[in-house]
Amino acid sequence: MALSREREAKAYREALEICQRSAQRMKGLLGDLIDLSRYDTLEPDLRMRECDLAEVVRESLEFISPLATERQVKVHPEIDSIVARVDPINLSHAFINLLTNAIKHNPEGCEIRVTLKRAGRAIQFIVTDYGQGIPAEAIPHLFDRFYRVDRSRARTTGGSGLGLSIAKAIAEAHGGSIDVSSTLGKGTTFTLSLP
């Protein structure tokens, strides 16, 4: 499109910016699909080591802080120091996906509570938002690949519809699970549990 005819420098720049955004979006989708294909194998390539999960959560919060600032979202962390044998890079990917969803799919200025704690013999990473909630009929499909609760927001919020599928695959690769509970008009809680 940019090369189809002579243009002003500003028009070339706008066309190239559109190309760059499209390429970044395709790169993200491709990365998500590669991640999912890794977890679809019988033995995903996890690099397990002992680490403090509180540090993994803090790093995940730092990663999403520009998005939270942009959307004026207040994040309230309640993080216990818990040493566990995990793949910190992959687990951080799951945490970031859950945090990003909570920020992107709620109104600007909302609040999110992030908790890391022991619960009996499990470790729980919990993301609670106090936003719009998710309709009950959508809950069984949330972890399906490419599923979107509100398809009309696909272009405005970006993403591939794979974030929750990836988070679930990472949790399961660690022998864990993800649960969700939601009430319309009151908010949603995602709980990633690890043994």
Side-chain angles (χ1 to χ4, degrees), residues 32-51:
D32 286 347
L33 289 169
I34 289 169
D35 286 343
L36 274 173
S37 70
R38 278 195 350 233
Y39 292 110
D40 282 345
T41 64
L42 293 176
E43 293 188 30
D45 182 26
L46 296 180
R47 296 195 164 113
M48 307 291 274
R49 66 178 176 86
E50 277 199 2
C51 65

Side-chain angles (χ1 to χ4, degrees), residues 115-136:
T115 307
L116 176 68
K117 66 177 185 174
R118 291 184 191 280
R121 297 181 54 94
I123 300 165
Q124 292 183 330
F125 172 75
I126 304 167
V127 178
T128 301
D129 69 62
Y130 303 96
Q132 59 206 21
I134 300 169

Side-chain angles (χ1 to χ4, degrees), residues 14-165:
E14 289 171 356
L16 291 173
E17 286 173 351
I18 290 168
C19 292
Q20 184 180 29
R21 284 194 302 271
S22 295
Q24 290 297 328
R25 191 171 180 140
M26 283 188 279
K27 180 181 174 188
L29 177 59
L30 184 59
D32 286 347
L33 289 169
I34 289 169
D35 286 343
L36 274 173
S37 70
R38 278 195 350 233
Y39 292 110
D40 282 345
T41 64
L42 293 176
E43 293 188 30
D45 182 26
L46 296 180
R47 296 195 164 113
M48 307 291 274
R49 66 178 176 86
E50 277 199 2
C51 65
D52 187 347
L53 289 178
E55 190 57 36
V56 178
V57 173
R58 283 189 200 98
E59 288 174 3
S60 302
L61 288 169
E62 284 176 22
F63 185 85
I64 59 96
S65 68
L67 178 63
T69 300
E70 176 187 321
R71 293 191 48 83
Q72 302 170 9
V73 172
K74 283 193 172 186
V75 180
H76 303 283
E78 296 175 8
I79 304 167
D80 292 342
S81 180
I82 303 171
V83 176
R85 186 169 174 75
V86 297
D87 179 329
I89 292 173
N90 280 297
L91 204 53
S92 177
H93 190 171
F95 294 166
I96 288 168
N97 284 354
L98 293 174
L99 292 165
T100 300
N101 269 8
I103 294 169
K104 281 186 172 182
H105 298 294
N106 281 295
E108 287 190 10
C110 71
E111 296 192 10
I112 296 171
R113 185 157 312 283
V114 177
T115 307
L116 176 68
K117 66 177 185 174
R118 291 184 191 280
R121 297 181 54 94
I123 300 165
Q124 292 183 330
F125 172 75
I126 304 167
V127 178
T128 301
D129 69 62
Y130 303 96
Q132 59 206 21
I134 300 169
E137 63 274 9
I139 300 243
H141 305 288
L142 285 179
F143 299 101
D144 294 349
R145 294 172 186 186
F146 302 108
Y147 181 77
R148 291 179 180 276
V149 173
D150 183 354
R151 294 185 189 285
S152 66
R153 293 180 61 190
R155 290 211 181 271
T156 59
T157 61
S160 60
L162 294 172
L164 290 176
S165 298

